[in-house]
Amino acid sequence: MKIIANQDGIGTSKFDLYLYKVLYLLSFRKSKWLEKQIVQIAKDLEAIKNRKVF
């Protein structure tokens, strides 16, 4: 899994989000790091979705 930094911000995919969610569920919701990563990826995807192109 690679997170690619570019000029527009952080490039993430929905696949990464789903993968982290599955890993989080398999860890019986005990991993704080995975929880933080899920929140961060969700914010990045929302920012990309709401980005305006001029």
Side-chain angles (χ1 to χ4, degrees):
M1 249 171 295
K2 293 184 180 180
I3 297 176
I4 301 168
N6 57 21
Q7 293 177 357
D8 297 331
I10 303 286
T12 58
S13 67
K14 289 183 182 180
F15 175 75
D16 289 340
L17 179 62
Y18 296 135
L19 181 64
Y20 279 127
K21 283 185 177 184
V22 168
L23 291 174
Y24 182 66
L25 290 174
L26 290 175
S27 70
F28 300 106
R29 299 181 180 181
K30 293 184 179 181
S31 176
K32 299 295 181 191
W33 181 82
L34 280 174
E35 185 177 2
K36 290 177 185 177
Q37 289 299 111
I38 290 170
V39 170
Q40 184 62 40
I41 291 173
K43 284 181 183 178
D44 290 343
L45 288 174
E46 188 68 27
I48 290 170
K49 186 174 84 173
N50 292 332
R51 182 175 58 187
K52 294 181 181 179
V53 178
F54 294 103

